[in-house]
Every structure is written in structure tokens, then in C-alpha cells.
Amino acid sequence: MGRAVNTLLELREVTKRFGGLVALDGLSVHVDSGEFLGLIGPNGAGKTTAFGVLTGEQRPDSGRGYFHGDDVTRMPTHRRVARGIARTYQIPRPFGEMTVLDNVRVAMMPDSVRRLIAERPPEGVDRELLRSVGFGEREAAMYPDQLSMGELRKLELARTLATEPEVLLLDEVFAGLTRGEIAQLSALLVAERRSGMTAIIVSHDLRSLAPLVDRVVVMSFGAVIAEGAFEEVLDNPLVREAYLGQA
Amino acid sequence: MPLARPLLGWLAFAVVMCLVPVFVSTGTVRILVFANFLAIFAMSWDVISGRTGYISFGHPFLIGIAGYTTAMLTYHLDTPLWLSIPAGVFATLVGGTLFLLPALRIRGTYFALVTLAFMELMYQLTQVIAPKVTGGTRGLSGIPTIVSGAIPNYYLTFGLVFAIGLGLWFVLRTRIGAALAALRMDEGAVAASGLSTIRLKLFAFMTSAAVAGIGGAFYVHYLGSIAPRGLFDINFLFTILVAALLGGSSTVAGPILGAYFLTFLLEYLRPYLPGPERYVIYGMIALVVYVLEPRGLHAILRTGARRLAPLLARRRIAP
């Protein structure tokens, strides 16, 4: 099949337990190059854990992860990021004592002590990145605790873009945002999509997610229960049951 | 960041400190020698703990490795100092990697406790294992000194403070300093930024160990003796910590400032409080400073200078 050539990032039969809790139960999911995939499911379905396994922050108990067809199951996080997998967090995790600009600068740093000491940071790229998510000089000088949730999510996005990713893993991008902020962030994501970026987006806000994604995967209890185009998936009785607790 | 002003600051610091022995008594110069050593240890502590947030309660362990290595080499084998001191520093680097091992898995209080255990372990080992070699409980004395007299020792140790301080300042003002600070704030987010947290920690630990090793080796050759009780001592440890925190952690000038302040505080309290109750007073003073300004004396002086500058400028315009 042609799919193998196209697949950018993939989990195969991944199981992850936390004590007695099975967070991922033989999960298989993939995203193709240039595709925007929506990952949805009720709370506790294992979406964030799946992200953790994709980035290497969580070690799976069994199963494998592939990027560009290479087995990356045991690759540490920072090397996966260097190869092009970047994520945002459900609860934003900025460096609290640094300005917005410095936050982005950390994400731009080369992974080499020698280069960090000897080389000057590239000029202008940092501000350009901030501008790309709608931040001006005023926001650049602000500290994370002065930002709204919408701005924090933009900062997270700017930081992931600073690592020059091939695939973005966006965890609950719309949570805690106003309608206006959702519209802004959606516009940014549409722009990324047009420029050929690949993404997996986790969101509970299905209405905001729908226009952004090519395909959705629905998870429940650590496994995929449905997959396909948005409307057909939402009509699926299994999905309705998982979300609403009834068929 | 413009270079000229901070460099002028370093230069002024050097000039003032070089002139100090001309104006003060030999007794004060001797106290300053101890302050210089404390400054080196506090700078070393700050590279691990102030920058990366890995609180070390085991710094005497690192200092002791260098001290004992060079002491034993010179005492038993008559090794020349130019060889034994680098050997001591090298041994501390090896010790620094041991320090790194717990930091791969734990941080915060647990890391501090494990490093405290390192210090205790070293305290016991030096007394129990091969006391003939280490000198056991009594330690080793009659170790060669590098120079003699208060003033030559002062210039030697101040030279070390200045070289180490300037070196650290030059390195840590680059992006590596920001990377280490980021590590303190959120290690997971640093990894998610594509940086190897292990490599960054290794750098901080090795740098800190090297500085501690240099300080420890020279310290032993200043005292001319080494004994486990004074070295692997909780009061010694806390003096280092308080110097760094009081002066202002995560800066280079802070620990130096804190070391001078603390040494003189302890000395001036001595006539009134000869016993260990002095440490209660210094603890309270450290606490007050810390509550007033958690970033330490360094920040207090900086804010003071900023407020004073416009006043002075106004006076100059309108005489």
C-alpha cells in the first residue's frame, strides 16, 4: 500500500500501564505527511498519554513508535524534538522567570554545550517567530504570569515552531480560550496547514476542531474506537456511547 | 548585553581588592584569605544549585576529594604541587560524575539528602579505610604550603577568586546560562525544547566540581593540614550555602559578595559571642536579608544603586 511511504508518525500496538490503570491498550494510530489529524475521546481516554509516548516522555510497556519509518521507541525526547516532533502541553509549561522572548530563545537553542557558549544566537528569528503567532514587542517583554490563557497557548505554539518541527502535537489547544482567541489560534493553524505542516490535535472543542482536521481518530479506554471523516465518526454509535454514556 | 559596564565593574573590584592589604591590618588580611576561599566554594555551589536548582548538601564531599588527593600525594609521595593540585581537581571531576548519578532520577529535597549522604560517607571513609594513608581522625598535617605570609596568600587566593569569577561570568552570560536557568524552571520543557537535560546537568556539575576542586586543593595547601572533622562538617556546608544565598544565587557576584559579608559578620561577632551561638545570629541575619530580598545582597545593592544614580546625577547638574 502507498500508506507506508506517506506515514510520518505512527504508534503500533502500544500499551502503557500506570500501576493497575491501563492508559493505552494496544493503541495503533498514525498521521500522514501534511495531514491534520484530530484525536478526540472522553476524559481519561489516553490522548495525553499517547502524546507522551510519541514524544518519548513516557516509555510504553509494549508496542513501538515510528517516525519516517524509523523505530524511535527508545529515542529520548530531546532527540525526537531535534528530528522534528514537537508538542504543546494541555496546561502550558512556560519558563516562568523568563520573558516571552527568552522562552522562545530557549526553544531555538542548539543541543550542544560548546555551541551554546561559543555561538551568538541568530538575530531576528526569535522576533519573527513571535510575530508569526501575533506577538509584538510589548508581549515579547512580558512574563508568562502576565499572559492570558490564549496568549500562553500562542507562546507554546511559538516555542514548538522554534524547534523547526515536521509534526506538531497540540494538546487541548482551545481549552480555556475565548471565542476570539480560538478564532485567532485556528487561523494560525490553518496557515501552518497550508504551509505543509503535519499535526495531531487533541481537543474537546469539537466544533472548533472540525474545520481544521482532515481525519479524526476517536479513543476510549486507551484504544481506537472509531476513525474517519468528522461527520461519519460523530454518527458512529460507539462514539456516542463513549461520549454520552448511551447508544 | 553590553560588555563594557560589567567589565568595568570587575576591574574596579580587582583594583579595590588589590589595594585592601595596604590599608588594613594583617589580621584582617588573614580573615580575607578565608573569605576568598569561601567565595570560591560559594561560586562552585551556585553553579549547581543556584543555576540548575539541584540543591547540593554535599559540597564538602567535592572539596574534600581534591583536598585529600593533593594532601596524600604531597605527604606520602612528595609529589610536586604543580602535579598534585591538578590531580586533586581531576579527582573531583570524577567525584562530580558520582554526584550526577542521583540527579539523573531525583531532584529537590531527595537530591539534597543523597548528596548529604555523600558527605557523611566521605567523613566515615577517611577515618575508617586506610587511616595510615588518610591520617584517620586526626588527618594529615605538615603539608607543603604554596606561599607563606598573610599578604602573599591573600593575593594568591584573590587571584583565584578573580580568575574563577570572571571565567564563570563570561561563560554563564552566554546562552548556556539561560539553558541552565530553564532547567531549574522546568526540566521536562527543556527536553521538549530539544535540549539534552543530561548534557546540561553534566556541564553544570563538572564546572561546579572543577571550581570546588581548585578551591579545595589550594585550601589544603594554605592550611598545611587536612582533617575530616572540620571539612565534612554541617556548619562548613551551611556557611557555603548561606554565603551563596545571602549574596544572591544565580549570579556570579552574589556568592562572592555573600562570602565577604558572612566572613566579616562572623568575625565581628566573635568578641561578643565566642561560642557556636554566633551561628544563631548569622542565621537570623541571613533570614532577615532573605525575607527582605530573596535575590540577596546583590539585588539589594543593585536596586540601591539604581535609586541612588538619579539623585547623584541631579546633584552634579545643580551644584
Short mmCIF file of all heavy atoms in Angstrom, two decimals, chain A residues 57 77-78 81 89 93 95-98 106-113 115-117 119-122 159 163, chain B residues 170-171 174-176 178-179 181-197 199-200 203:
data_model
loop_
_atom_site.label_atom_id
_atom_site.label_comp_id
_atom_site.label_asym_id
_atom_site.label_seq_id
_atom_site.Cartn_x
_atom_site.Cartn_y
_atom_site.Cartn_z
N GLU A 57 8.36 11.05 26.32
CA GLU A 57 8.27 11.41 27.74
C GLU A 57 7.72 10.25 28.56
O GLU A 57 7.92 10.18 29.77
CB GLU A 57 7.39 12.66 27.91
CG GLU A 57 8.07 13.92 27.38
CD GLU A 57 7.09 15.04 27.13
OE1 GLU A 57 6.18 14.86 26.31
OE2 GLU A 57 7.22 16.10 27.74
N THR A 77 13.54 12.10 24.42
CA THR A 77 12.71 13.22 23.97
C THR A 77 13.48 14.26 23.16
O THR A 77 13.06 14.64 22.07
CB THR A 77 12.07 13.91 25.19
OG1 THR A 77 11.37 12.93 25.94
CG2 THR A 77 11.12 15.00 24.76
N HIS A 78 14.63 14.72 23.72
CA HIS A 78 15.30 15.84 23.05
C HIS A 78 15.75 15.47 21.65
O HIS A 78 15.80 16.31 20.76
CB HIS A 78 16.46 16.36 23.89
CG HIS A 78 17.62 15.43 23.99
ND1 HIS A 78 17.70 14.43 24.92
CD2 HIS A 78 18.75 15.35 23.25
CE1 HIS A 78 18.84 13.78 24.76
NE2 HIS A 78 19.50 14.32 23.76
N VAL A 81 12.72 15.64 19.39
CA VAL A 81 12.41 17.04 19.09
C VAL A 81 13.35 17.54 18.01
O VAL A 81 12.95 18.20 17.05
CB VAL A 81 12.51 17.91 20.36
CG1 VAL A 81 12.27 19.37 20.03
CG2 VAL A 81 11.51 17.44 21.42
N TYR A 89 1.63 21.56 25.65
CA TYR A 89 1.04 20.90 26.81
C TYR A 89 -0.37 21.41 27.09
O TYR A 89 -0.67 22.58 26.87
CB TYR A 89 1.92 21.11 28.05
CG TYR A 89 3.25 20.43 27.95
CD1 TYR A 89 4.36 21.11 27.47
CD2 TYR A 89 3.39 19.09 28.31
CE1 TYR A 89 5.59 20.47 27.35
CE2 TYR A 89 4.61 18.45 28.20
CZ TYR A 89 5.70 19.15 27.72
OH TYR A 89 6.92 18.52 27.61
N ARG A 93 3.38 25.09 29.82
CA ARG A 93 4.55 25.00 30.70
C ARG A 93 5.64 25.97 30.28
O ARG A 93 6.71 25.56 29.87
CB ARG A 93 5.09 23.57 30.68
CG ARG A 93 4.20 22.59 31.43
CD ARG A 93 4.60 21.17 31.17
NE ARG A 93 5.91 20.85 31.72
CZ ARG A 93 6.38 19.59 31.76
NH1 ARG A 93 5.67 18.59 31.29
NH2 ARG A 93 7.57 19.36 32.27
N PHE A 95 8.68 28.79 30.77
CA PHE A 95 9.70 29.04 31.79
C PHE A 95 9.29 30.32 32.50
O PHE A 95 9.40 31.42 31.95
CB PHE A 95 11.07 29.16 31.15
CG PHE A 95 11.47 27.92 30.39
CD1 PHE A 95 11.63 27.94 29.02
CD2 PHE A 95 11.65 26.71 31.06
CE1 PHE A 95 11.98 26.79 28.32
CE2 PHE A 95 11.99 25.56 30.38
CZ PHE A 95 12.15 25.60 29.01
N GLY A 96 8.81 30.16 33.73
CA GLY A 96 8.10 31.24 34.41
C GLY A 96 8.89 32.49 34.70
O GLY A 96 8.34 33.58 34.74
N GLU A 97 10.21 32.35 34.90
CA GLU A 97 11.00 33.53 35.25
C GLU A 97 11.67 34.16 34.03
O GLU A 97 12.59 34.95 34.16
CB GLU A 97 12.08 33.15 36.29
CG GLU A 97 11.51 32.65 37.60
CD GLU A 97 12.51 31.82 38.39
OE1 GLU A 97 13.67 32.23 38.50
OE2 GLU A 97 12.13 30.73 38.88
N MET A 98 11.22 33.74 32.85
CA MET A 98 11.80 34.32 31.63
C MET A 98 10.74 35.07 30.86
O MET A 98 9.56 34.71 30.91
CB MET A 98 12.32 33.20 30.72
CG MET A 98 13.58 32.54 31.17
SD MET A 98 14.09 31.33 29.95
CE MET A 98 15.43 30.56 30.84
N VAL A 106 14.99 29.83 24.21
CA VAL A 106 15.42 28.53 24.72
C VAL A 106 15.07 27.43 23.72
O VAL A 106 15.88 26.54 23.44
CB VAL A 106 14.78 28.22 26.10
CG1 VAL A 106 15.06 26.79 26.52
CG2 VAL A 106 15.28 29.19 27.15
N ALA A 107 13.88 27.54 23.16
CA ALA A 107 13.46 26.51 22.20
C ALA A 107 14.30 26.54 20.92
O ALA A 107 14.38 25.54 20.20
CB ALA A 107 11.98 26.69 21.86
N MET A 108 14.93 27.68 20.65
CA MET A 108 15.77 27.78 19.45
C MET A 108 17.21 27.30 19.68
O MET A 108 18.00 27.22 18.74
CB MET A 108 15.85 29.25 18.99
CG MET A 108 14.58 29.79 18.37
SD MET A 108 14.66 31.60 18.21
CE MET A 108 16.22 31.78 17.34
N MET A 109 17.54 27.01 20.94
CA MET A 109 18.94 26.70 21.25
C MET A 109 19.42 25.41 20.59
O MET A 109 18.68 24.44 20.52
CB MET A 109 19.10 26.56 22.77
CG MET A 109 19.09 27.86 23.51
SD MET A 109 19.32 27.56 25.27
CE MET A 109 19.10 29.22 25.91
N PRO A 110 20.69 25.40 20.16
CA PRO A 110 21.26 24.16 19.64
C PRO A 110 21.59 23.22 20.80
O PRO A 110 21.87 23.68 21.91
CB PRO A 110 22.55 24.62 18.95
CG PRO A 110 22.93 25.87 19.66
CD PRO A 110 21.65 26.52 20.12
N ASP A 111 21.50 21.92 20.54
CA ASP A 111 21.74 20.95 21.62
C ASP A 111 23.23 20.64 21.71
O ASP A 111 23.67 19.53 21.45
CB ASP A 111 20.93 19.68 21.36
CG ASP A 111 21.06 18.70 22.52
OD1 ASP A 111 21.34 19.15 23.64
OD2 ASP A 111 20.90 17.48 22.28
N SER A 112 24.02 21.66 22.06
CA SER A 112 25.46 21.46 22.17
C SER A 112 26.00 22.51 23.11
O SER A 112 25.79 23.71 22.89
CB SER A 112 26.10 21.58 20.79
OG SER A 112 27.40 22.14 20.89
N VAL A 113 26.65 22.07 24.17
CA VAL A 113 27.18 23.00 25.16
C VAL A 113 28.18 23.95 24.51
O VAL A 113 28.16 25.15 24.73
CB VAL A 113 27.82 22.23 26.33
CG1 VAL A 113 28.62 23.17 27.22
CG2 VAL A 113 26.76 21.51 27.15
N ARG A 115 28.40 24.95 21.39
CA ARG A 115 27.76 25.96 20.55
C ARG A 115 26.98 26.98 21.38
O ARG A 115 26.92 28.15 21.04
CB ARG A 115 26.84 25.29 19.53
CG ARG A 115 27.62 24.52 18.46
CD ARG A 115 26.70 23.89 17.45
NE ARG A 115 25.83 24.88 16.81
CZ ARG A 115 24.70 24.56 16.19
NH1 ARG A 115 24.29 23.31 16.14
NH2 ARG A 115 23.97 25.51 15.63
N LEU A 116 26.40 26.52 22.49
CA LEU A 116 25.67 27.45 23.36
C LEU A 116 26.60 28.52 23.92
O LEU A 116 26.21 29.67 24.11
CB LEU A 116 25.00 26.70 24.51
CG LEU A 116 23.73 25.92 24.19
CD1 LEU A 116 23.26 25.14 25.40
CD2 LEU A 116 22.64 26.87 23.72
N ILE A 117 27.84 28.13 24.19
CA ILE A 117 28.79 29.08 24.76
C ILE A 117 29.43 29.93 23.67
O ILE A 117 29.54 31.15 23.80
CB ILE A 117 29.88 28.34 25.57
CG1 ILE A 117 29.25 27.65 26.77
CG2 ILE A 117 30.99 29.30 26.01
CD1 ILE A 117 30.18 26.75 27.53
N GLU A 119 28.67 30.31 20.23
CA GLU A 119 27.95 30.98 19.14
C GLU A 119 26.98 32.02 19.66
O GLU A 119 26.38 31.85 20.71
CB GLU A 119 27.16 29.93 18.33
CG GLU A 119 28.04 29.08 17.46
CD GLU A 119 27.24 28.02 16.73
OE1 GLU A 119 26.00 28.12 16.68
OE2 GLU A 119 27.87 27.07 16.25
N ARG A 120 26.84 33.07 18.87
CA ARG A 120 25.82 34.07 19.21
C ARG A 120 24.48 33.57 18.69
O ARG A 120 24.42 32.89 17.68
CB ARG A 120 26.16 35.40 18.53
CG ARG A 120 27.43 36.00 19.08
CD ARG A 120 27.69 37.36 18.44
NE ARG A 120 28.29 38.24 19.42
CZ ARG A 120 27.61 39.01 20.25
NH1 ARG A 120 26.30 39.03 20.23
NH2 ARG A 120 28.23 39.78 21.12
N PRO A 121 23.39 33.91 19.40
CA PRO A 121 22.08 33.48 18.91
C PRO A 121 21.76 34.15 17.58
O PRO A 121 22.16 35.30 17.35
CB PRO A 121 21.12 33.94 20.01
CG PRO A 121 21.86 34.97 20.78
CD PRO A 121 23.31 34.66 20.65
N PRO A 122 21.07 33.45 16.70
CA PRO A 122 20.70 34.06 15.41
C PRO A 122 19.80 35.26 15.67
O PRO A 122 18.91 35.21 16.50
CB PRO A 122 19.94 32.94 14.70
CG PRO A 122 19.49 32.01 15.77
CD PRO A 122 20.52 32.11 16.86
N ARG A 159 6.91 28.33 20.74
CA ARG A 159 8.05 27.53 21.20
C ARG A 159 8.20 26.24 20.40
O ARG A 159 9.30 25.82 20.08
CB ARG A 159 7.88 27.20 22.68
CG ARG A 159 8.14 28.37 23.59
CD ARG A 159 8.58 27.94 24.95
NE ARG A 159 7.68 26.96 25.55
CZ ARG A 159 7.86 26.45 26.76
NH1 ARG A 159 8.88 26.81 27.48
NH2 ARG A 159 7.01 25.58 27.25
N THR A 163 11.43 24.99 17.36
CA THR A 163 12.26 23.78 17.23
C THR A 163 12.25 23.25 15.79
O THR A 163 12.80 22.19 15.52
CB THR A 163 11.77 22.66 18.17
OG1 THR A 163 10.46 22.24 17.76
CG2 THR A 163 11.72 23.12 19.62
N PHE B 170 31.90 35.02 32.27
CA PHE B 170 31.97 35.01 30.80
C PHE B 170 31.19 33.84 30.20
O PHE B 170 30.49 33.99 29.20
CB PHE B 170 33.43 34.92 30.33
CG PHE B 170 33.93 36.24 29.82
CD1 PHE B 170 34.90 36.95 30.51
CD2 PHE B 170 33.43 36.77 28.64
CE1 PHE B 170 35.34 38.18 30.05
CE2 PHE B 170 33.87 37.99 28.17
CZ PHE B 170 34.83 38.70 28.88
N VAL B 171 31.29 32.69 30.84
CA VAL B 171 30.62 31.50 30.29
C VAL B 171 29.12 31.58 30.54
O VAL B 171 28.31 31.34 29.65
CB VAL B 171 31.21 30.22 30.91
CG1 VAL B 171 30.37 29.02 30.53
CG2 VAL B 171 32.64 30.02 30.44
N THR B 174 26.49 33.63 28.49
CA THR B 174 26.09 33.16 27.17
C THR B 174 24.78 32.37 27.31
O THR B 174 24.21 32.28 28.39
CB THR B 174 27.14 32.24 26.54
OG1 THR B 174 27.21 31.04 27.33
CG2 THR B 174 28.51 32.89 26.50
N ARG B 175 24.37 31.76 26.20
CA ARG B 175 23.10 31.04 26.22
C ARG B 175 23.11 29.84 27.16
O ARG B 175 22.06 29.39 27.58
CB ARG B 175 22.75 30.59 24.80
CG ARG B 175 22.27 31.74 23.95
CD ARG B 175 21.65 31.26 22.67
NE ARG B 175 22.66 30.78 21.73
CZ ARG B 175 22.36 30.21 20.57
NH1 ARG B 175 21.10 30.01 20.24
NH2 ARG B 175 23.31 29.83 19.75
N ILE B 176 24.31 29.34 27.49
CA ILE B 176 24.34 28.19 28.41
C ILE B 176 23.74 28.59 29.76
O ILE B 176 23.06 27.79 30.40
CB ILE B 176 25.79 27.64 28.57
CG1 ILE B 176 25.77 26.29 29.30
CG2 ILE B 176 26.67 28.57 29.39
CD1 ILE B 176 25.51 25.13 28.44
N ALA B 178 21.30 30.69 30.28
CA ALA B 178 19.85 30.68 30.14
C ALA B 178 19.33 29.24 30.10
O ALA B 178 18.27 28.94 30.65
CB ALA B 178 19.44 31.42 28.88
N ALA B 179 20.09 28.36 29.46
CA ALA B 179 19.67 26.96 29.37
C ALA B 179 19.64 26.33 30.77
O ALA B 179 18.72 25.59 31.11
CB ALA B 179 20.60 26.18 28.45
N ALA B 181 19.24 27.95 33.58
CA ALA B 181 18.11 28.55 34.30
C ALA B 181 16.80 27.87 33.90
O ALA B 181 15.94 27.60 34.74
CB ALA B 181 18.05 30.04 34.03
N ALA B 182 16.67 27.59 32.61
CA ALA B 182 15.46 26.92 32.13
C ALA B 182 15.33 25.54 32.78
O ALA B 182 14.24 25.10 33.15
CB ALA B 182 15.50 26.78 30.61
N LEU B 183 16.47 24.89 32.96
CA LEU B 183 16.50 23.58 33.60
C LEU B 183 15.93 23.67 35.02
O LEU B 183 15.24 22.77 35.49
CB LEU B 183 17.95 23.10 33.65
CG LEU B 183 18.24 21.62 33.83
CD1 LEU B 183 17.72 20.84 32.66
CD2 LEU B 183 19.74 21.40 33.99
N ARG B 184 16.26 24.76 35.69
CA ARG B 184 15.76 24.95 37.04
C ARG B 184 14.24 25.12 37.03
O ARG B 184 13.55 24.64 37.91
CB ARG B 184 16.43 26.18 37.67
CG ARG B 184 15.99 26.48 39.09
CD ARG B 184 16.64 27.74 39.63
NE ARG B 184 16.14 28.92 38.96
CZ ARG B 184 16.92 29.86 38.42
NH1 ARG B 184 18.22 29.77 38.46
NH2 ARG B 184 16.38 30.91 37.84
N MET B 185 13.74 25.79 36.01
CA MET B 185 12.31 26.12 35.99
C MET B 185 11.44 24.95 35.57
O MET B 185 10.40 24.72 36.15
CB MET B 185 12.08 27.31 35.06
CG MET B 185 12.76 28.58 35.53
SD MET B 185 12.63 29.88 34.32
CE MET B 185 14.14 30.78 34.61
N ASP B 186 11.83 24.22 34.54
CA ASP B 186 11.02 23.09 34.07
C ASP B 186 11.87 22.17 33.21
O ASP B 186 12.09 22.43 32.03
CB ASP B 186 9.81 23.61 33.28
CG ASP B 186 8.81 22.50 32.98
OD1 ASP B 186 9.22 21.31 32.92
OD2 ASP B 186 7.63 22.81 32.80
N GLU B 187 12.33 21.09 33.83
CA GLU B 187 13.23 20.19 33.12
C GLU B 187 12.55 19.53 31.92
O GLU B 187 13.16 19.37 30.86
CB GLU B 187 13.74 19.13 34.10
CG GLU B 187 15.15 18.74 33.82
CD GLU B 187 15.75 17.88 34.92
OE1 GLU B 187 15.71 18.28 36.09
OE2 GLU B 187 16.25 16.80 34.59
N GLY B 188 11.28 19.15 32.11
CA GLY B 188 10.55 18.50 31.03
C GLY B 188 10.43 19.41 29.81
O GLY B 188 10.59 18.98 28.67
N ALA B 189 10.17 20.68 30.08
CA ALA B 189 10.02 21.63 28.99
C ALA B 189 11.35 21.89 28.28
O ALA B 189 11.38 22.22 27.10
CB ALA B 189 9.43 22.94 29.49
N VAL B 190 12.45 21.71 29.01
CA VAL B 190 13.77 21.86 28.37
C VAL B 190 13.99 20.72 27.39
O VAL B 190 14.42 20.94 26.25
CB VAL B 190 14.90 21.89 29.42
CG1 VAL B 190 16.27 21.82 28.74
CG2 VAL B 190 14.81 23.16 30.25
N ALA B 191 13.65 19.50 27.81
CA ALA B 191 13.76 18.35 26.90
C ALA B 191 12.84 18.53 25.71
O ALA B 191 13.23 18.26 24.56
CB ALA B 191 13.42 17.05 27.64
N ALA B 192 11.64 19.07 25.96
CA ALA B 192 10.69 19.29 24.87
C ALA B 192 11.14 20.43 23.95
O ALA B 192 10.59 20.61 22.88
CB ALA B 192 9.31 19.59 25.43
N SER B 193 12.15 21.20 24.39
CA SER B 193 12.73 22.22 23.53
C SER B 193 13.89 21.66 22.71
O SER B 193 14.57 22.38 22.00
CB SER B 193 13.25 23.40 24.36
OG SER B 193 12.22 23.96 25.13
N GLY B 194 14.13 20.36 22.84
CA GLY B 194 15.17 19.71 22.04
C GLY B 194 16.55 19.74 22.66
O GLY B 194 17.55 19.54 21.96
N LEU B 195 16.62 20.01 23.97
CA LEU B 195 17.94 20.05 24.61
C LEU B 195 18.11 18.84 25.53
O LEU B 195 17.18 18.45 26.24
CB LEU B 195 18.08 21.33 25.45
CG LEU B 195 17.94 22.64 24.69
CD1 LEU B 195 17.98 23.81 25.65
CD2 LEU B 195 19.03 22.78 23.65
N SER B 196 19.31 18.27 25.50
CA SER B 196 19.59 17.14 26.37
C SER B 196 19.79 17.64 27.80
O SER B 196 20.76 18.34 28.09
CB SER B 196 20.85 16.41 25.89
OG SER B 196 21.35 15.60 26.94
N THR B 197 18.87 17.26 28.68
CA THR B 197 18.99 17.74 30.06
C THR B 197 20.19 17.09 30.76
O THR B 197 20.83 17.72 31.59
CB THR B 197 17.71 17.42 30.86
OG1 THR B 197 17.48 16.02 30.79
CG2 THR B 197 16.52 18.16 30.32
N ARG B 199 23.07 16.35 29.38
CA ARG B 199 24.28 17.06 28.97
C ARG B 199 24.42 18.39 29.71
O ARG B 199 25.50 18.76 30.15
CB ARG B 199 24.24 17.28 27.46
CG ARG B 199 25.59 17.68 26.88
CD ARG B 199 25.53 17.76 25.38
NE ARG B 199 25.15 16.49 24.77
CZ ARG B 199 24.50 16.39 23.60
NH1 ARG B 199 24.15 17.46 22.95
NH2 ARG B 199 24.21 15.21 23.12
N LEU B 200 23.30 19.09 29.85
CA LEU B 200 23.34 20.38 30.56
C LEU B 200 23.72 20.19 32.02
O LEU B 200 24.52 20.93 32.58
CB LEU B 200 21.98 21.08 30.47
CG LEU B 200 21.60 21.63 29.10
CD1 LEU B 200 20.17 22.14 29.11
CD2 LEU B 200 22.55 22.74 28.69
N PHE B 203 27.36 19.40 32.35
CA PHE B 203 28.17 20.61 32.24
C PHE B 203 28.20 21.37 33.56
O PHE B 203 29.26 21.77 34.06
CB PHE B 203 27.64 21.52 31.12
CG PHE B 203 28.29 22.88 31.12
CD1 PHE B 203 29.56 23.05 30.60
CD2 PHE B 203 27.65 23.97 31.67
CE1 PHE B 203 30.17 24.29 30.61
CE2 PHE B 203 28.25 25.21 31.71
CZ PHE B 203 29.51 25.37 31.17
#
